[in-house]
Amino acid sequence: MSEFVNENIKKGSNFLDRVEEMMFPGEIEIEGSGYNRNLLDRRIEKYLDSHFDEYIEEFGLVREAHLQIYEEKLDRCEDDIEELKDFQKDVKDEISLFEKRLDRIEKEL
């Protein structure tokens, strides 16, 4: 009879161990950080939520909204550069016309 009781205790403790393992899996290592965090430990998330803007500013992180703004600025800069190239080409053409006229005038004199 003691074997039966011991066997049931063993089975019960295994079941409880499995339940405990499912509910409280213990610590999880966050890759590359060397930090082991308990799944139910929400202190880091609470800290980041309350200090999110400071965290981003301190570490120089960029938000998606900033990326969109930067992309729009880049597009405008590229458009401006194209306009400057076109203007430069037009100015070079005008300069060459003026040089040709100057040559004609010098020949006539």
Side-chain angles (χ1 to χ4, degrees):
M1 185 149 152
S2 65
E3 288 176 23
F4 180 73
V5 170
N6 288 338
E7 192 174 310
N8 280 339
I9 290 173
K10 251 187 199 179
K11 285 181 184 177
S13 66
N14 285 340
F15 175 75
L16 290 177
D17 288 342
R18 281 183 277 171
V19 169
E20 181 182 358
E21 213 173 281
M22 286 173 46
M23 294 188 69
F24 307 104
E27 295 182 345
I28 292 180
E29 182 179 347
I30 298 173
E31 276 187 43
S33 68
Y35 175 69
N36 293 327
R37 176 176 81 82
N38 189 327
L39 283 181
L40 299 178
D41 184 8
R42 303 278 184 229
R43 290 177 292 171
I44 292 174
E45 286 82 3
K46 286 180 185 177
Y47 174 81
L48 291 178
D49 287 343
S50 61
H51 299 287
F52 191 68
D53 291 328
E54 297 164 14
Y55 185 76
I56 285 177
E57 188 174 328
E58 180 179 346
F59 291 100
L61 301 177
V62 179
R63 295 180 181 175
E64 187 174 342
H66 291 139
L67 288 176
Q68 291 173 350
I69 292 169
Y70 295 147
E71 285 177 9
E72 290 171 7
K73 286 182 179 181
L74 176 64
D75 291 340
R76 285 195 303 264
C77 286
E78 288 174 345
D79 292 340
D80 291 345
I81 289 171
E82 288 301 317
E83 288 178 15
L84 285 172
K85 285 180 179 179
D86 291 341
F87 176 76
Q88 191 176 26
K89 182 182 176 193
D90 292 342
V91 168
K92 285 182 179 181
D93 291 342
E94 285 185 34
I95 289 174
S96 67
L97 283 175
F98 286 137
E99 287 175 345
K100 287 179 183 178
R101 284 183 184 173
L102 182 63
D103 286 342
R104 279 189 219 148
I105 293 173
E106 287 177 346
K107 285 181 184 179
E108 289 179 5
L109 291 176

